[in-house]
Amino acid sequence: MTDQPLLVADSLRLNFGETKALDDASLHIWPGEIVALMGPSGSGKSTLLHCLAGILQPESGRVSYDGRDLTAMSDSERSALRRGEFGFVFQFGQLVPELTCVENVALPLRLSGAGRREAHRTATDWLERLEVGDVGAKRPGQVSGGQGQRVAVARALVSRPRVVFADEPTGALDSLNGELVMKLFIAAARDTGAAVVLVTHEARVAAYSDREAVVRDGRVREQEYAR
Amino acid sequence: MSVSFALLGLLENGPRHGYDLKRTYDDTFGRDRSLHYGQVYSTMARLLKNGLVEVESEPGDGPDRKRYAITHAGITDVAEWIGRPEKPEPYLQSTLYTKVVLALLTGRDANEVLDAQRAEHLRLMRELTRRKNDGDLADELICDHALFHLEADLRWLELTAARLDRLAARVRP
């Protein structure tokens, strides 16, 4: 564990029309830690996640990743960073419906230049690790919601990102399936040493984190990093 | 326990007679459990003995003539009590409600009360989640029971946070 945060949001501001989505929001993510972003709907937690991930650009303030200023990068530099260093899990898996599950998981590796066979072998290992080894040949439309989310987690982790952004990853699942997804997701993230930024409104999901940060009216109340 | 803090907190905005204090308590927190006069006077006697309130006597005799005022030590005690999260356990709501309302009444940050409590609840929920994931089916079921109760508290905390403005408008004089 280093003594430098990996990802820092510093005084971010962003308005959507009249609405202040982020209003002087700051947050620090250390390597390998799991942080839950909580707060009422409309508080700005998803907007903050999108800024941290370089998907949205704040109007002022800066985001730095591993000492590099994300807000000063070009669009293509930011996409390269997202592809290489970040993983994403959304509420609805957002898997590519035309590809099989194993092809979905192999996709990030293929995009980074890995050969087909090697990518498929690694993807299959990841599906097994998430206990969905049997759905590899199926398309996303043919698997259950819980299985689909585990495929999405495998896809997020397959290229061994240093940060995984998860936006309500269990939001569309019943509690038993949600628990299983969280248990496998967090165990795998801890194994690979990835930090996780987890947006959730569910306390039982947040309980998988190391600490929480509460977003309210576009501002963050951050619990101290204690390790 | 929380009754004496609640009575003490109600004195922060100004001295009151015992009768007035009971009425204010019943209106603010009482609902289906209004206080007996005897309880108010015995609590005041204890607070007086501990130096947390003082008496401003008025002409005439009898307990009704006593006006109670909070002391600096009393204010410190109230602040400490409101700021300290409760040990997470089911059915805390009435104590938390008292703290939130008193914070609003006395110009303290009620969000801080809710945040401190959320952090305390999540700390315990993390511990239970770890125990559950490392344990067998029995651990899982036992921890889940506690987790669902704590989650209900947390949902109440979130709802209360979302309604603080309305609550403030209702309770503030």
Side-chain angles (χ1 to χ4, degrees):
Chain A
M1 210 55 60
T2 63
D3 53 4
Q4 287 299 316
L6 179 63
L7 188 60
V8 179
D10 185 15
S11 307
L12 305 187
R13 286 179 201 278
L14 181 58
N15 299 312
F16 294 129
E18 297 286 291
T19 313
K20 285 182 178 176
L22 295 178
D23 183 16
D24 200 16
S26 298
L27 180 69
H28 302 74
I29 308 290
W30 268 264
E33 70 163 347
I34 318 262
V35 179
L37 290 186
M38 305 184 73
S41 41
S43 61
K45 50 192 194 300
S46 287
T47 306
L48 176 59
L49 179 132
H50 286 122
C51 284
L52 284 166
I55 297 170
L56 277 176
Q57 278 281 71
E59 280 155 21
S60 69
R62 66 183 243 162
V63 176
S64 51
Y65 168 74
D66 208 10
R68 286 180 283 165
D69 186 352
L70 229 78
T71 29
M73 286 180 187
S74 68
D75 284 350
S76 63
E77 283 173 317
R78 261 198 309 278
S79 344
L81 184 73
R82 278 202 299 273
R83 234 182 5 255
E85 311 270 324
F86 297 166
F88 295 89
V89 185
F90 298 101
Q91 182 170 357
F92 300 99
Q94 299 194 351
L95 300 167
V96 182
E98 292 82 5
L99 300 179
T100 63
C101 288
V102 74
E103 284 165 346
N104 264 282
V105 178
L107 192 59
L109 298 173
R110 298 281 286 141
L111 290 174
S112 314
R116 188 174 183 279
R117 187 175 304 189
E118 186 202 334
H120 272 235
R121 194 169 48 237
T122 311
T124 305
D125 287 348
W126 271 99
L127 286 175
E128 279 164 12
R129 192 160 174 179
L130 272 299
E131 300 179 7
V132 276
D134 52 339
V135 305
K138 294 185 177 172
R139 290 183 205 283
Q142 300 169 303
V143 304
S144 73
Q147 289 170 328
Q149 274 313 69
R150 282 183 275 156
V151 174
V153 168
R155 185 184 57 180
L157 287 165
V158 72
S159 31
R160 300 200 162 253
R162 290 182 74 196
V163 188
V164 178
F165 297 94
D167 195 351
E168 300 283 4
T170 63
L173 304 178
D174 62 50
S175 59
L176 221 59
N177 272 301
E179 292 276 334
L180 184 58
V181 167
M182 284 311 294
K183 187 176 164 178
L184 294 168
F185 172 24
I186 297 305
R190 289 202 195 280
D191 279 355
T192 62
V196 177
V197 184
L198 173 66
V199 165
T200 181
H201 67 278
E202 286 178 88
R204 285 162 63 81
V205 172
Y208 281 87
S209 67
D210 298 319
R211 65 185 174 104
E212 73 274 8
V214 180
V215 188
R216 189 180 296 126
D217 301 328
R219 261 175 237 169
V220 186
R221 178 170 223 131
E222 190 172 8
Q223 200 184 44
E224 256 173 62
Y225 175 65
R227 231 192 277 176
Chain B
M1 198 41 167
S2 70
V3 170
S4 65
F5 282 113
L7 290 174
L8 197 54
L10 288 176
L11 290 175
E12 241 192 271
N13 288 338
R16 290 172 194 273
H17 289 102
Y19 172 77
D20 181 26
L21 195 52
K22 176 203 149 38
R23 285 279 302 273
T24 309
Y25 180 95
D26 288 349
D27 288 347
T28 317
F29 306 116
R31 306 264 168 244
D32 46 354
R33 47 179 187 114
S34 63
L35 289 181
H36 297 292
Y37 285 108
Q39 203 178 348
V40 175
Y41 292 117
S42 63
T43 304
M44 285 299 116
R46 191 157 34 81
L47 294 173
L48 192 61
K49 203 176 114 202
N50 293 336
L52 304 176
V53 297
E54 55 199 12
V55 167
E56 303 171 348
S57 283
E58 287 179 6
D61 284 326
D64 288 7
R65 308 304 333 151
K66 284 184 182 170
R67 243 160 57 114
Y68 298 96
I70 192 166
T71 62
H72 285 303
I75 293 175
T76 309
D77 264 30
V78 171
E80 203 267 336
W81 179 71
I82 291 179
R84 183 178 65 231
E86 294 293 312
K87 187 165 172 286
E89 54 189 44
Y91 318 122
L92 264 180
Q93 277 80 341
S94 64
T95 307
L96 290 181
Y97 176 77
T98 306
K99 286 190 173 186
V100 168
V101 170
L102 272 185
L104 292 171
L105 278 176
T106 56
R108 295 184 170 92
D109 188 348
N111 269 317
E112 267 181 28
V113 176
L114 297 170
D115 284 347
Q117 195 62 52
R118 179 197 291 105
E120 199 62 24
H121 267 63
L122 276 172
R123 209 185 329 274
L124 181 57
M125 288 183 77
R126 281 193 188 97
E127 200 182 304
L128 291 164
T129 302
R130 268 195 298 273
R131 221 176 93 195
K132 179 173 102 167
N133 286 333
D134 296 341
D136 57 12
L137 183 60
D139 286 315
E140 216 172 291
L141 290 170
I142 289 164
C143 291
D144 267 336
H145 184 258
L147 281 164
F148 279 120
H149 278 282
L150 292 165
E151 186 184 34
D153 277 358
L154 272 167
R155 290 172 75 165
W156 180 86
L157 289 173
E158 298 305 339
L159 274 179
T160 306
R163 293 169 180 164
L164 270 185
D165 291 346
R166 275 171 63 199
L167 185 61
R170 208 182 70 81
V171 300
R172 275 188 190 137

